[in-house]
Amino acid sequence: MHYLQAFESIEHFERELAEFVYYYNHKRIKAKLKDLSPVEYRTQVLEVIFSDSAYI
C-alpha cells in the first residue's frame, strides 16, 4: 500500500488493506520482538506457555 494512493474501487482498497495488514503482522521484522514478526513472536510465546506441564 502506498501513502496517498488513489484506489480504483472499494474492492481495490479492501484488497490493498488486507495485503498491508498481512505484511504488518506476518512479514514485518521487529527488533523489539527478537527480530521476529509479530505473529512469529506470539506463536513462540504460546508454544512456551503450553509446553509447560503446569498449564495442561
Coordinates of all heavy atoms in Angstrom, one line a residue:
M1 N 0.9 -1.2 0.0 CA 0.0 0.0 0.0 C 0.9 1.2 0.0 O 1.8 1.3 0.8 CB -0.9 0.0 1.2 CG -1.9 1.1 1.2 SD -3.0 1.3 2.6 CE -3.6 -0.2 2.9
H2 N 0.6 2.2 -0.8 CA 1.3 3.4 -1.0 C 0.6 4.5 -0.3 O -0.6 4.7 -0.5 CB 1.7 3.7 -2.4 CG 2.4 2.6 -3.1 ND1 3.7 2.3 -2.9 CD2 2.0 1.6 -3.9 CE1 4.1 1.3 -3.6 NE2 3.0 0.8 -4.2
Y3 N 1.3 5.4 0.4 CA 0.7 6.5 1.0 C 0.1 7.4 0.0 O 0.7 7.7 -1.1 CB 1.8 7.3 1.8 CG 1.3 8.4 2.6 CD1 0.4 8.2 3.7 CD2 1.6 9.7 2.2 CE1 0.0 9.3 4.4 CE2 1.2 10.8 3.0 CZ 0.3 10.6 4.0 OH -0.2 11.6 4.8
L4 N -1.1 7.9 0.2 CA -1.8 8.7 -0.7 C -2.1 8.1 -2.0 O -2.3 8.8 -3.1 CB -1.1 10.1 -0.9 CG -1.0 10.9 0.4 CD1 -0.3 12.2 0.1 CD2 -2.4 11.3 1.0
Q5 N -2.2 6.8 -2.1 CA -2.5 6.1 -3.3 C -4.0 6.3 -3.7 O -4.9 6.2 -2.8 CB -2.2 4.6 -3.2 CG -2.6 3.8 -4.3 CD -2.3 2.3 -4.1 OE1 -1.7 2.0 -3.1 NE2 -2.8 1.5 -5.0
A6 N -4.3 6.5 -4.9 CA -5.7 6.6 -5.4 C -6.2 5.2 -5.7 O -5.5 4.4 -6.4 CB -5.8 7.4 -6.6
F7 N -7.3 4.8 -5.2 CA -7.8 3.4 -5.4 C -8.9 3.5 -6.5 O -9.7 4.4 -6.6 CB -8.4 2.9 -4.1 CG -7.3 2.8 -3.0 CD1 -7.3 3.7 -2.0 CD2 -6.4 1.7 -3.0 CE1 -6.3 3.6 -1.1 CE2 -5.5 1.6 -2.1 CZ -5.4 2.6 -1.1
E8 N -8.9 2.4 -7.3 CA -9.9 2.3 -8.4 C -11.3 2.0 -7.9 O -12.3 2.4 -8.6 CB -9.4 1.2 -9.4 CG -8.0 1.5 -10.0 CD -7.4 0.3 -10.6 OE1 -8.1 -0.8 -10.7 OE2 -6.3 0.4 -11.1
S9 N -11.4 1.3 -6.8 CA -12.7 1.0 -6.3 C -12.6 0.6 -4.8 O -11.5 0.5 -4.3 CB -13.3 -0.2 -7.0 OG -12.4 -1.4 -6.8
I10 N -13.7 0.4 -4.1 CA -13.7 0.0 -2.8 C -13.0 -1.4 -2.6 O -12.3 -1.7 -1.7 CB -15.1 0.1 -2.1 CG1 -15.0 0.1 -0.6 CG2 -15.9 -1.1 -2.5 CD1 -14.4 1.3 0.0
E11 N -13.3 -2.3 -3.6 CA -12.7 -3.6 -3.6 C -11.2 -3.5 -3.7 O -10.5 -4.3 -3.1 CB -13.3 -4.5 -4.7 CG -14.7 -4.8 -4.6 CD -15.7 -3.7 -5.0 OE1 -15.3 -2.7 -5.6 OE2 -16.9 -3.8 -4.6
H12 N -10.7 -2.6 -4.5 CA -9.2 -2.4 -4.7 C -8.7 -1.9 -3.3 O -7.6 -2.4 -2.9 CB -9.0 -1.4 -5.8 CG -7.5 -1.1 -6.0 ND1 -7.0 0.1 -6.3 CD2 -6.4 -1.9 -5.9 CE1 -5.7 0.1 -6.4 NE2 -5.3 -1.2 -6.2
F13 N -9.3 -1.0 -2.7 CA -8.9 -0.5 -1.4 C -8.9 -1.7 -0.3 O -7.9 -1.8 0.4 CB -9.8 0.6 -0.9 CG -9.6 0.9 0.6 CD1 -8.5 1.7 1.0 CD2 -10.4 0.5 1.6 CE1 -8.2 1.9 2.3 CE2 -10.2 0.8 2.9 CZ -9.1 1.5 3.3
E14 N -9.9 -2.5 -0.3 CA -10.0 -3.6 0.6 C -8.9 -4.6 0.4 O -8.3 -5.1 1.3 CB -11.4 -4.3 0.5 CG -12.5 -3.4 1.1 CD -13.9 -4.0 0.8 OE1 -14.0 -4.9 -0.1 OE2 -14.8 -3.6 1.5
R15 N -8.6 -4.9 -0.9 CA -7.5 -5.8 -1.2 C -6.2 -5.3 -0.8 O -5.4 -6.0 -0.2 CB -7.5 -6.1 -2.7 CG -6.6 -7.2 -3.2 CD -6.8 -7.5 -4.7 NE -6.8 -6.4 -5.6 CZ -7.8 -5.8 -6.2 NH1 -9.0 -6.3 -6.1 NH2 -7.6 -4.8 -7.0
E16 N -5.9 -4.0 -1.0 CA -4.6 -3.4 -0.6 C -4.5 -3.4 0.9 O -3.4 -3.6 1.5 CB -4.5 -2.0 -1.2 CG -4.4 -1.9 -2.7 CD -3.0 -2.3 -3.1 OE1 -2.0 -2.2 -2.4 OE2 -2.9 -2.9 -4.3
L17 N -5.6 -3.1 1.6 CA -5.6 -3.0 3.0 C -5.3 -4.4 3.6 O -4.5 -4.6 4.5 CB -6.9 -2.5 3.6 CG -7.1 -2.4 5.1 CD1 -6.0 -1.5 5.7 CD2 -8.5 -2.0 5.5
A18 N -6.0 -5.4 3.1 CA -5.7 -6.8 3.5 C -4.3 -7.2 3.3 O -3.6 -7.8 4.2 CB -6.6 -7.8 2.8
E19 N -3.7 -6.8 2.2 CA -2.3 -7.1 1.9 C -1.4 -6.4 2.9 O -0.4 -7.0 3.4 CB -1.9 -6.8 0.5 CG -2.5 -7.7 -0.6 CD -2.2 -7.2 -2.0 OE1 -1.4 -6.2 -2.2 OE2 -2.8 -7.7 -2.9
F20 N -1.7 -5.2 3.2 CA -0.9 -4.4 4.2 C -1.0 -5.0 5.6 O 0.0 -5.2 6.3 CB -1.3 -3.0 4.2 CG -0.5 -2.2 5.3 CD1 0.8 -1.8 5.0 CD2 -1.1 -1.9 6.5 CE1 1.5 -1.1 6.0 CE2 -0.4 -1.2 7.5 CZ 0.9 -0.8 7.2
V21 N -2.2 -5.4 6.0 CA -2.3 -6.0 7.3 C -1.6 -7.3 7.4 O -0.9 -7.6 8.4 CB -3.8 -6.2 7.7 CG1 -4.0 -7.0 8.9 CG2 -4.5 -4.8 7.9
Y22 N -1.7 -8.1 6.4 CA -0.9 -9.4 6.3 C 0.6 -9.1 6.5 O 1.3 -9.7 7.3 CB -1.2 -10.2 5.1 CG -0.4 -11.5 5.1 CD1 -0.9 -12.6 5.7 CD2 0.8 -11.6 4.4 CE1 -0.2 -13.8 5.7 CE2 1.5 -12.8 4.5 CZ 1.0 -13.9 5.1 OH 1.7 -15.0 5.1
Y23 N 1.1 -8.2 5.7 CA 2.5 -7.8 5.8 C 2.9 -7.3 7.2 O 3.9 -7.8 7.8 CB 2.9 -6.7 4.8 CG 4.1 -6.0 5.1 CD1 5.4 -6.5 4.8 CD2 4.1 -4.8 5.8 CE1 6.6 -5.9 5.2 CE2 5.3 -4.1 6.2 CZ 6.5 -4.7 5.9 OH 7.7 -4.1 6.3
Y24 N 2.0 -6.5 7.7 CA 2.3 -5.9 9.1 C 2.4 -6.9 10.1 O 3.2 -6.8 11.0 CB 1.2 -4.8 9.4 CG 1.6 -3.9 10.5 CD1 2.3 -2.8 10.4 CD2 1.1 -4.2 11.8 CE1 2.7 -2.0 11.4 CE2 1.4 -3.4 12.9 CZ 2.2 -2.3 12.7 OH 2.5 -1.5 13.7
N25 N 1.6 -7.9 10.1 CA 1.5 -8.9 11.1 C 2.4 -10.1 10.8 O 2.9 -10.8 11.8 CB 0.1 -9.4 11.3 CG -0.8 -8.4 12.0 OD1 -0.4 -7.7 12.8 ND2 -2.0 -8.3 11.5
H26 N 2.7 -10.5 9.6 CA 3.4 -11.7 9.3 C 4.8 -11.5 8.7 O 5.6 -12.4 8.9 CB 2.6 -12.5 8.2 CG 1.3 -13.1 8.8 ND1 0.2 -12.4 8.8 CD2 1.1 -14.3 9.4 CE1 -0.8 -13.1 9.4 NE2 -0.3 -14.3 9.7
K27 N 5.1 -10.5 8.1 CA 6.4 -10.3 7.4 C 7.3 -9.2 8.0 O 8.5 -9.3 7.9 CB 6.1 -9.9 5.9 CG 5.3 -10.8 5.1 CD 6.1 -12.1 4.9 CE 5.3 -13.1 4.1 NZ 5.9 -14.4 4.0
R28 N 6.7 -8.2 8.7 CA 7.5 -7.1 9.3 C 8.3 -7.7 10.4 O 7.8 -8.2 11.4 CB 6.5 -6.1 9.7 CG 7.1 -4.9 10.4 CD 6.0 -3.9 10.8 NE 5.0 -4.6 11.7 CZ 5.0 -4.4 13.0 NH1 5.8 -3.6 13.6 NH2 4.1 -5.0 13.7
I29 N 9.6 -7.4 10.4 CA 10.5 -7.9 11.4 C 10.7 -6.7 12.4 O 10.9 -5.6 12.0 CB 11.9 -8.3 10.8 CG1 11.7 -9.3 9.7 CG2 12.9 -8.7 11.9 CD1 11.0 -10.6 10.2
K30 N 10.6 -7.1 13.7 CA 10.7 -6.1 14.8 C 11.9 -6.4 15.7 O 12.0 -7.5 16.2 CB 9.5 -6.0 15.6 CG 8.3 -5.4 15.0 CD 8.4 -3.9 14.7 CE 8.5 -3.2 16.0 NZ 8.8 -1.8 16.0
A31 N 12.8 -5.5 15.9 CA 14.0 -5.8 16.8 C 13.5 -6.0 18.2 O 14.0 -6.8 18.9 CB 14.9 -4.6 16.7
K32 N 12.5 -5.3 18.6 CA 11.9 -5.4 20.0 C 11.3 -6.8 20.2 O 11.1 -7.2 21.3 CB 10.9 -4.4 20.3 CG 11.5 -3.0 20.5 CD 10.4 -2.0 20.8 CE 10.9 -0.6 21.0 NZ 9.9 0.3 21.4
L33 N 11.0 -7.5 19.1 CA 10.4 -8.8 19.2 C 11.4 -9.9 18.8 O 11.1 -10.9 18.3 CB 9.2 -9.0 18.3 CG 8.0 -8.0 18.6 CD1 6.9 -8.2 17.6 CD2 7.5 -8.1 20.0
K34 N 12.7 -9.6 19.2 CA 13.8 -10.6 18.9 C 13.9 -10.9 17.4 O 14.1 -12.0 17.1 CB 13.6 -11.8 19.7 CG 13.5 -11.6 21.2 CD 13.3 -12.8 22.0 CE 13.2 -12.5 23.5 NZ 13.0 -13.7 24.3
D35 N 13.8 -9.9 16.6 CA 13.9 -10.0 15.2 C 12.9 -11.0 14.6 O 13.2 -11.7 13.6 CB 15.3 -10.3 14.8 CG 16.3 -9.2 15.1 OD1 15.9 -8.0 15.0 OD2 17.4 -9.5 15.4
L36 N 11.7 -11.0 15.1 CA 10.7 -11.9 14.6 C 9.5 -11.0 14.2 O 9.4 -9.8 14.6 CB 10.2 -12.9 15.7 CG 11.2 -13.9 16.2 CD1 10.6 -14.6 17.4 CD2 11.6 -14.8 15.2
S37 N 8.6 -11.5 13.4 CA 7.4 -10.8 13.1 C 6.5 -10.9 14.3 O 6.6 -11.8 15.1 CB 6.7 -11.4 11.8 OG 6.1 -12.7 12.1
P38 N 5.4 -10.1 14.4 CA 4.5 -10.2 15.5 C 3.9 -11.6 15.6 O 3.8 -12.1 16.7 CB 3.5 -9.1 15.2 CG 4.2 -8.1 14.4 CD 5.2 -8.9 13.6
V39 N 3.5 -12.2 14.5 CA 2.8 -13.5 14.5 C 3.9 -14.5 15.0 O 3.5 -15.4 15.8 CB 2.2 -13.9 13.2 CG1 1.8 -15.3 13.1 CG2 1.0 -13.0 12.9
E40 N 5.1 -14.5 14.5 CA 6.1 -15.5 14.9 C 6.4 -15.3 16.4 O 6.5 -16.3 17.1 CB 7.4 -15.2 14.1 CG 7.3 -15.6 12.6 CD 8.5 -15.2 11.9 OE1 9.1 -14.1 12.2 OE2 8.9 -15.9 10.9
Y41 N 6.5 -14.1 16.9 CA 6.7 -13.9 18.3 C 5.6 -14.5 19.1 O 5.9 -15.2 20.1 CB 6.9 -12.4 18.6 CG 7.3 -12.1 20.0 CD1 8.6 -12.3 20.4 CD2 6.4 -11.7 20.9 CE1 9.0 -12.1 21.7 CE2 6.8 -11.4 22.2 CZ 8.1 -11.6 22.6 OH 8.4 -11.4 23.9
R42 N 4.4 -14.1 18.8 CA 3.2 -14.7 19.6 C 3.2 -16.2 19.5 O 2.9 -16.8 20.6 CB 1.9 -14.1 19.1 CG 1.7 -12.6 19.5 CD 0.3 -12.2 19.2 NE 0.0 -12.2 17.8 CZ 0.0 -11.2 16.9 NH1 0.5 -10.1 17.3 NH2 -0.3 -11.4 15.7
T43 N 3.4 -16.8 18.4 CA 3.4 -18.2 18.3 C 4.5 -18.8 19.2 O 4.3 -19.8 19.9 CB 3.7 -18.6 16.8 OG1 2.6 -18.1 16.0 CG2 3.7 -20.1 16.7
Q44 N 5.7 -18.2 19.2 CA 6.8 -18.7 20.0 C 6.4 -18.6 21.5 O 6.6 -19.6 22.2 CB 8.0 -17.9 19.7 CG 9.3 -18.4 20.4 CD 10.4 -17.5 20.1 OE1 10.4 -16.3 20.3 NE2 11.5 -18.1 19.6
V45 N 5.8 -17.5 21.9 CA 5.4 -17.3 23.3 C 4.4 -18.4 23.7 O 4.5 -19.0 24.7 CB 4.9 -15.9 23.5 CG1 4.3 -15.8 24.9 CG2 6.1 -14.9 23.4
L46 N 3.4 -18.6 22.8 CA 2.3 -19.5 23.1 C 2.9 -21.0 23.2 O 2.4 -21.8 24.1 CB 1.2 -19.5 22.1 CG 0.4 -18.2 22.2 CD1 -0.6 -18.2 21.0 CD2 -0.4 -18.1 23.5
E47 N 3.8 -21.3 22.4 CA 4.4 -22.6 22.4 C 5.1 -22.9 23.8 O 5.0 -23.9 24.4 CB 5.4 -22.9 21.3 CG 4.7 -23.1 20.0 CD 5.7 -23.1 18.8 OE1 6.9 -22.9 19.0 OE2 5.2 -23.3 17.7
V48 N 5.8 -21.9 24.3 CA 6.5 -22.0 25.6 C 5.5 -22.1 26.7 O 5.6 -23.0 27.6 CB 7.4 -20.7 25.8 CG1 7.9 -20.7 27.2 CG2 8.5 -20.7 24.8
I49 N 4.4 -21.3 26.6 CA 3.4 -21.4 27.7 C 2.7 -22.8 27.7 O 2.6 -23.4 28.8 CB 2.3 -20.3 27.5 CG1 2.9 -18.9 27.8 CG2 1.1 -20.5 28.3 CD1 2.0 -17.8 27.4
F50 N 2.3 -23.3 26.5 CA 1.6 -24.5 26.5 C 2.5 -25.7 26.6 O 2.0 -26.9 26.8 CB 0.7 -24.6 25.3 CG -0.5 -23.6 25.4 CD1 -0.6 -22.5 24.6 CD2 -1.4 -23.8 26.4 CE1 -1.7 -21.6 24.7 CE2 -2.5 -22.9 26.5 CZ -2.6 -21.8 25.7
S51 N 3.8 -25.6 26.5 CA 4.7 -26.7 26.6 C 5.0 -27.0 28.1 O 5.4 -28.0 28.5 CB 6.0 -26.5 25.9 OG 6.7 -25.5 26.5
D52 N 4.6 -26.0 29.0 CA 4.8 -26.1 30.4 C 3.7 -27.0 30.9 O 2.5 -26.8 30.7 CB 4.7 -24.7 31.1 CG 5.1 -24.8 32.5 OD1 5.2 -25.9 33.1 OD2 5.2 -23.7 33.1
S53 N 4.1 -28.1 31.7 CA 3.1 -29.1 32.1 C 2.1 -28.5 33.2 O 1.1 -29.1 33.4 CB 3.8 -30.3 32.8 OG 4.6 -29.8 33.9
A54 N 2.4 -27.3 33.8 CA 1.5 -26.7 34.7 C 0.2 -26.2 34.1 O -0.8 -26.1 34.7 CB 2.2 -25.6 35.4
Y55 N 0.3 -26.0 32.7 CA -0.9 -25.5 32.0 C -1.7 -26.6 31.4 O -2.7 -26.3 30.8 CB -0.5 -24.5 31.0 CG 0.1 -23.2 31.6 CD1 1.4 -23.0 31.7 CD2 -0.8 -22.2 32.1 CE1 1.9 -21.9 32.3 CE2 -0.3 -21.1 32.6 CZ 1.0 -20.9 32.7 OH 1.5 -19.8 33.3
I56 N -1.3 -27.8 31.6 CA -2.0 -28.9 30.9 C -3.0 -29.5 31.9 O -2.9 -29.6 33.0 CB -1.0 -30.0 30.4 CG1 -0.2 -29.4 29.3 CG2 -1.8 -31.2 29.9 CD1 0.9 -30.3 28.8

